Amino acid sequence: MARTLIILVLLLLFLLLLRRRLIHVDLSFPWFVAIIVLGFVYNNPLVEVVLVKILVVAYPIYAVLFLTLFILFGLVTAVLIMVTRDHRRQVLLLRGMARLDLARQEAEFAGKRS
Amino acid sequence: MSASAQAAEKSVLVLIPAFNEGASVAALARAVLALGAGYRPLVIDDGSQEPLEVRTLPTGTLLFRSPFNAGIGVATHIAFDHALAQGYDHVVRVDGDGQHPAERIPDLLTPILEGRADLVAGERVNQANGAGLDKGLRNLAKTYYSAIASLLTAGKAPIDVNTGFFAASRHAIERLRVVDLERFPEPQMFVSACRLGLRVTTVSIEQLDRSQGSTSLNLARALAMFYRFNLFFLQQIIESGRSWPAR
């Protein structure tokens, strides 16, 4: 019950952030998937058992902890990639703006000379 | 014909990146315009808190105000883009804080005009000046950058790979345009130029005292620069693969 409640709170927080436009809808998808995966793992003892075997850990809770850290790392990486792409676009846009602005100034100088 | 007269015939775009540097930029632009008709100052205000105004700059100066601090790498790209689009023959970069002597620009262009070089670095003979722990650390970092740059380029890179005073021919601009220049791009640019087969040479200059503003290189940025340079170093080793060290 407590596990389901945690996932529901996370989902509510996620929807609240989206509604207040604090996170962009395109960037929010990996986080949404992460909450769904975590919810599934938290509420499915069979998955825990499989994870315990794969990760060779003594207690099921450690398996969930490892999985959470793994997802967190994945999310941070996904956000880094998105921010990097946006930064590259921003720089290209700035260079485009500069090209137009400076070409206009050159044309003004040429106009004054003639 | 003197190098200055030759440069005046050809067009030289002089990039002056500025960040909170105010009055010294106008003085520098005036000094550049005084060099001759072929010299065009391009001031890039890199997101200063008090943006530069066109009216404060002498007539004939190009000004682009970036809405945010994008870094010198992006400013250099903007200058390269503009030079290629408008048919300039050379790009020279001088710092907006007045540390680089503008009257030495023709000297920097001489090796290019004589066909001896594609990229000329203004090597600071007094770069080790200063005092205290800060000076020690700075010199240590510069020695490290220089050693790694020399290793990557088989000794072709200038000793002062951190100098922001340089001149580039059109050929160099075309080649360097494809390199993704980052914040504090100087070592990356000189190493890339050598590895792209450009002829790099140096001209000794005396760096002046900063007339305006303060360095944007604080401890955090210095560490970021150090990290970035080492990543660049690793990337170069991986890219060159079997051919490393460079011949």
Side-chain angles (χ1 to χ4, degrees), chain B residues 192-239:
Chain B
S192 300
C194 292
R195 293 178 70 86
L196 285 167
L198 296 172
R199 294 164 302 161
V200 181
T201 191
T202 59
V203 165
S204 296
I205 60 140
E206 194 144 327
Q207 183 166 280
L208 309 170
D209 288 333
R210 194 182 294 274
S211 61
Q212 195 85 25
S214 57
T215 178
S216 57
L217 195 62
N218 54 28
L219 181 66
R221 283 185 167 176
L223 284 174
M225 184 183 171
F226 188 70
Y227 164 75
R228 194 179 298 123
F229 181 76
N230 283 302
L231 267 191
F232 171 69
F233 171 43
L234 274 176
Q235 191 188 348
Q236 291 295 311
I237 293 172
I238 294 164
E239 278 178 7

Coordinates of all heavy atoms in Angstrom, one line a residue, chain B residues 192-239:
Chain B
S192 N 44.2 22.3 -32.9 CA 43.5 21.9 -34.1 C 44.1 22.4 -35.4 O 44.1 21.7 -36.4 CB 42.0 22.4 -34.0 OG 41.4 21.9 -32.9
A193 N 44.6 23.7 -35.3 CA 45.2 24.3 -36.5 C 46.4 23.5 -37.0 O 46.5 23.2 -38.2 CB 45.6 25.7 -36.2
C194 N 47.2 23.1 -36.0 CA 48.4 22.3 -36.3 C 48.0 21.0 -36.9 O 48.6 20.5 -37.9 CB 49.3 22.1 -35.1 SG 50.0 23.6 -34.5
R195 N 47.0 20.4 -36.3 CA 46.6 19.0 -36.7 C 45.8 19.1 -38.1 O 45.8 18.0 -38.7 CB 45.8 18.3 -35.6 CG 46.6 18.1 -34.4 CD 45.9 17.4 -33.3 NE 45.5 16.1 -33.6 CZ 46.2 15.0 -33.4 NH1 47.4 15.1 -32.9 NH2 45.8 13.8 -33.7
L196 N 45.3 20.2 -38.4 CA 44.6 20.4 -39.7 C 45.6 20.7 -40.8 O 45.3 20.9 -42.0 CB 43.6 21.5 -39.6 CG 42.3 21.1 -38.9 CD1 41.5 22.4 -38.6 CD2 41.4 20.1 -39.7
G197 N 46.9 20.8 -40.4 CA 48.0 21.0 -41.4 C 48.2 22.5 -41.7 O 48.9 22.8 -42.7
L198 N 47.6 23.4 -40.9 CA 47.9 24.8 -41.1 C 49.2 25.2 -40.6 O 49.7 24.6 -39.6 CB 46.8 25.6 -40.4 CG 45.3 25.5 -40.8 CD1 44.4 26.2 -39.9 CD2 45.2 26.0 -42.2
R199 N 49.8 26.2 -41.2 CA 51.1 26.6 -40.8 C 51.0 27.7 -39.7 O 50.4 28.7 -39.9 CB 51.9 27.2 -42.0 CG 52.3 26.2 -43.0 CD 52.7 26.9 -44.3 NE 51.6 27.8 -44.8 CZ 51.7 28.8 -45.7 NH1 52.9 29.0 -46.2 NH2 50.7 29.5 -46.1
V200 N 51.5 27.3 -38.5 CA 51.3 28.2 -37.3 C 52.6 28.8 -36.9 O 53.6 28.1 -36.8 CB 50.7 27.4 -36.1 CG1 50.5 28.3 -34.9 CG2 49.4 26.8 -36.5
T201 N 52.7 30.1 -36.7 CA 53.9 30.7 -36.3 C 53.6 31.7 -35.2 O 52.4 31.9 -34.8 CB 54.7 31.4 -37.5 OG1 56.0 31.7 -37.0 CG2 54.0 32.6 -38.0
T202 N 54.6 32.3 -34.6 CA 54.4 33.3 -33.5 C 55.1 34.6 -33.8 O 56.1 34.7 -34.5 CB 55.0 32.7 -32.2 OG1 56.3 32.4 -32.3 CG2 54.2 31.4 -31.8
V203 N 54.6 35.6 -33.1 CA 55.3 36.9 -33.1 C 55.3 37.3 -31.6 O 54.2 37.2 -30.9 CB 54.5 38.0 -33.9 CG1 54.9 39.4 -33.6 CG2 54.6 37.7 -35.4
S204 N 56.4 37.7 -31.1 CA 56.5 38.1 -29.7 C 55.8 39.4 -29.4 O 56.0 40.4 -30.2 CB 58.0 38.2 -29.3 OG 58.6 36.9 -29.4
I205 N 55.1 39.5 -28.4 CA 54.4 40.7 -28.0 C 54.6 40.9 -26.5 O 54.8 40.0 -25.8 CB 52.9 40.8 -28.4 CG1 52.1 39.6 -27.6 CG2 52.7 40.7 -29.8 CD1 50.8 40.0 -27.1
E206 N 54.4 42.2 -26.1 CA 54.4 42.4 -24.6 C 53.0 42.7 -24.2 O 52.3 43.6 -24.7 CB 55.3 43.6 -24.3 CG 55.6 43.8 -22.9 CD 57.0 44.3 -22.6 OE1 57.9 44.0 -23.4 OE2 57.2 45.0 -21.6
Q207 N 52.5 41.9 -23.3 CA 51.1 42.1 -22.8 C 51.0 43.3 -21.9 O 51.9 43.4 -21.0 CB 50.6 40.8 -22.1 CG 49.2 40.9 -21.6 CD 48.7 39.5 -21.2 OE1 48.3 38.7 -22.1 NE2 48.7 39.3 -19.9
L208 N 50.0 44.1 -22.1 CA 49.9 45.3 -21.3 C 49.0 45.0 -20.1 O 48.4 44.0 -20.0 CB 49.2 46.4 -22.1 CG 49.8 46.7 -23.5 CD1 48.9 47.6 -24.3 CD2 51.2 47.3 -23.4
D209 N 49.0 46.0 -19.1 CA 48.1 45.8 -18.0 C 46.7 46.0 -18.4 O 46.4 46.8 -19.3 CB 48.5 46.9 -16.9 CG 49.8 46.5 -16.2 OD1 50.2 45.3 -16.2 OD2 50.5 47.5 -15.8
R210 N 45.8 45.3 -17.7 CA 44.4 45.3 -18.0 C 43.9 46.8 -17.7 O 44.1 47.3 -16.6 CB 43.6 44.4 -17.1 CG 42.2 44.1 -17.5 CD 41.6 43.1 -16.5 NE 42.3 41.8 -16.5 CZ 41.9 40.9 -17.4 NH1 40.9 41.0 -18.2 NH2 42.5 39.7 -17.3
S211 N 43.3 47.4 -18.7 CA 42.8 48.8 -18.5 C 41.4 48.9 -18.0 O 41.0 49.9 -17.5 CB 43.0 49.6 -19.8 OG 42.1 49.0 -20.8
Q212 N 40.7 47.8 -18.2 CA 39.2 47.8 -17.8 C 38.8 46.4 -17.4 O 39.3 45.4 -18.0 CB 38.4 48.3 -19.0 CG 37.0 48.7 -18.7 CD 36.9 50.2 -18.2 OE1 37.8 51.0 -18.5 NE2 35.9 50.5 -17.4
G213 N 37.8 46.3 -16.5 CA 37.2 45.1 -16.1 C 38.2 44.1 -15.4 O 39.3 44.5 -15.0
S214 N 37.7 42.9 -15.2 CA 38.6 41.9 -14.6 C 38.5 40.6 -15.4 O 37.6 40.4 -16.2 CB 38.1 41.7 -13.1 OG 36.8 41.3 -13.1
T215 N 39.4 39.7 -15.1 CA 39.4 38.4 -15.9 C 38.1 37.7 -15.6 O 37.6 37.6 -14.5 CB 40.6 37.6 -15.6 OG1 40.5 36.4 -16.4 CG2 40.8 37.2 -14.1
S216 N 37.6 37.0 -16.6 CA 36.4 36.2 -16.4 C 36.8 34.8 -16.0 O 35.9 33.9 -15.8 CB 35.6 36.1 -17.7 OG 36.4 35.6 -18.8
L217 N 38.1 34.6 -15.9 CA 38.6 33.3 -15.5 C 38.8 33.1 -14.0 O 39.8 33.4 -13.5 CB 40.0 33.0 -16.2 CG 40.5 31.6 -16.3 CD1 39.5 30.7 -17.1 CD2 41.9 31.6 -16.9
N218 N 37.7 32.8 -13.3 CA 37.8 32.5 -11.9 C 38.2 31.1 -11.6 O 38.4 30.3 -12.6 CB 36.5 32.9 -11.2 CG 35.3 32.2 -11.8 OD1 35.4 31.1 -12.4 ND2 34.1 32.8 -11.8
L219 N 38.2 30.7 -10.4 CA 38.7 29.3 -10.1 C 37.9 28.2 -10.7 O 38.4 27.3 -11.3 CB 38.8 29.1 -8.5 CG 39.3 27.7 -8.1 CD1 40.8 27.6 -8.5 CD2 39.1 27.5 -6.6
A220 N 36.5 28.4 -10.6 CA 35.6 27.4 -11.2 C 35.8 27.3 -12.7 O 35.9 26.2 -13.2 CB 34.2 27.8 -10.9
R221 N 35.9 28.4 -13.4 CA 36.1 28.4 -14.8 C 37.5 27.9 -15.2 O 37.6 27.2 -16.2 CB 35.9 29.8 -15.4 CG 34.4 30.2 -15.4 CD 34.2 31.5 -16.1 NE 32.8 31.7 -16.4 CZ 32.2 32.7 -16.9 NH1 33.0 33.8 -17.2 NH2 30.9 32.8 -17.2
A222 N 38.5 28.2 -14.4 CA 39.8 27.7 -14.6 C 39.8 26.1 -14.5 O 40.4 25.5 -15.4 CB 40.8 28.2 -13.7
L223 N 39.1 25.6 -13.5 CA 39.0 24.2 -13.4 C 38.2 23.6 -14.6 O 38.6 22.5 -15.1 CB 38.3 23.8 -12.1 CG 39.2 23.9 -10.8 CD1 38.3 23.7 -9.6 CD2 40.3 23.0 -10.8
A224 N 37.2 24.2 -15.0 CA 36.4 23.8 -16.1 C 37.2 23.8 -17.4 O 37.2 22.8 -18.2 CB 35.1 24.7 -16.3
M225 N 38.1 24.8 -17.5 CA 38.9 24.9 -18.7 C 40.0 23.8 -18.7 O 40.2 23.1 -19.7 CB 39.7 26.2 -18.7 CG 40.5 26.5 -19.9 SD 41.3 28.1 -19.6 CE 42.5 28.1 -21.0
F226 N 40.5 23.5 -17.5 CA 41.5 22.4 -17.3 C 40.8 21.1 -17.7 O 41.4 20.3 -18.4 CB 42.0 22.4 -15.9 CG 43.1 21.5 -15.6 CD1 44.4 21.8 -16.1 CD2 42.9 20.3 -14.9 CE1 45.4 20.9 -15.9 CE2 44.0 19.5 -14.6 CZ 45.2 19.8 -15.1
Y227 N 39.6 20.8 -17.2 CA 38.9 19.6 -17.5 C 38.6 19.5 -19.0 O 38.8 18.4 -19.6 CB 37.6 19.7 -16.7 CG 36.5 18.7 -17.1 CD1 36.6 17.3 -16.8 CD2 35.4 19.1 -17.8 CE1 35.7 16.4 -17.2 CE2 34.4 18.2 -18.3 CZ 34.6 16.9 -18.0 OH 33.6 16.0 -18.4
R228 N 38.2 20.6 -19.6 CA 37.8 20.6 -21.0 C 39.1 20.3 -21.8 O 39.0 19.5 -22.8 CB 37.2 22.0 -21.4 CG 36.6 22.0 -22.7 CD 36.0 23.3 -23.0 NE 35.0 23.8 -22.0 CZ 35.0 24.9 -21.3 NH1 36.1 25.7 -21.5 NH2 34.1 25.2 -20.5
F229 N 40.2 20.9 -21.5 CA 41.4 20.7 -22.2 C 41.8 19.3 -22.2 O 42.3 18.7 -23.2 CB 42.5 21.6 -21.7 CG 43.8 21.5 -22.5 CD1 43.9 22.1 -23.8 CD2 44.9 20.8 -22.0 CE1 45.1 21.9 -24.5 CE2 46.0 20.6 -22.7 CZ 46.2 21.2 -24.0
N230 N 41.7 18.7 -21.0 CA 42.1 17.3 -20.9 C 41.2 16.3 -21.7 O 41.7 15.3 -22.2 CB 42.2 16.9 -19.4 CG 43.4 17.4 -18.8 OD1 44.5 17.1 -19.2 ND2 43.3 18.3 -17.8
L231 N 39.9 16.7 -21.7 CA 39.0 15.9 -22.5 C 39.3 16.0 -24.0 O 39.3 15.0 -24.7 CB 37.6 16.4 -22.3 CG 36.7 15.7 -21.2 CD1 35.3 16.1 -21.3 CD2 36.8 14.2 -21.3
F232 N 39.7 17.2 -24.4 CA 40.0 17.5 -25.7 C 41.3 16.7 -26.1 O 41.4 16.1 -27.2 CB 40.3 19.0 -25.9 CG 40.9 19.4 -27.2 CD1 40.2 19.3 -28.4 CD2 42.2 19.9 -27.3 CE1 40.7 19.7 -29.6 CE2 42.8 20.2 -28.5 CZ 42.0 20.1 -29.7
F233 N 42.2 16.7 -25.2 CA 43.5 15.9 -25.3 C 43.2 14.4 -25.5 O 43.7 13.8 -26.5 CB 44.3 16.1 -24.0 CG 45.5 15.3 -23.9 CD1 46.4 15.1 -25.0 CD2 45.9 14.7 -22.7 CE1 47.5 14.3 -24.9 CE2 47.0 14.0 -22.6 CZ 47.8 13.7 -23.6
L234 N 42.3 13.9 -24.7 CA 41.9 12.5 -24.8 C 41.2 12.2 -26.1 O 41.5 11.2 -26.8 CB 40.9 12.1 -23.7 CG 41.6 11.7 -22.4 CD1 40.5 11.4 -21.3 CD2 42.4 10.4 -22.6
Q235 N 40.3 13.1 -26.5 CA 39.6 13.0 -27.8 C 40.6 13.0 -29.0 O 40.4 12.2 -29.9 CB 38.7 14.2 -27.9 CG 37.6 14.1 -29.0 CD 36.9 15.4 -29.1 OE1 37.0 16.3 -28.3 NE2 36.2 15.5 -30.2
Q236 N 41.6 13.8 -28.9 CA 42.6 13.9 -30.0 C 43.3 12.6 -30.1 O 43.6 12.1 -31.2 CB 43.5 15.1 -29.7 CG 42.9 16.4 -29.9 CD 42.4 16.7 -31.3 OE1 43.1 16.5 -32.3 NE2 41.2 17.1 -31.4
I237 N 43.7 12.0 -28.9 CA 44.4 10.8 -28.9 C 43.6 9.7 -29.5 O 44.0 8.9 -30.4 CB 44.8 10.4 -27.5 CG1 45.9 11.4 -27.0 CG2 45.4 9.0 -27.5 CD1 46.2 11.2 -25.5
I238 N 42.3 9.6 -29.1 CA 41.4 8.6 -29.6 C 41.2 8.8 -31.1 O 41.2 7.8 -31.9 CB 40.0 8.6 -28.9 CG1 40.2 8.2 -27.4 CG2 39.0 7.7 -29.6 CD1 39.1 8.6 -26.5
E239 N 41.0 10.0 -31.6 CA 40.7 10.3 -33.0 C 41.9 9.9 -33.9 O 41.8 9.4 -35.0 CB 40.3 11.7 -33.2 CG 38.8 12.0 -32.9 CD 38.4 13.4 -33.1 OE1 39.2 14.2 -33.5 OE2 37.3 13.7 -32.7

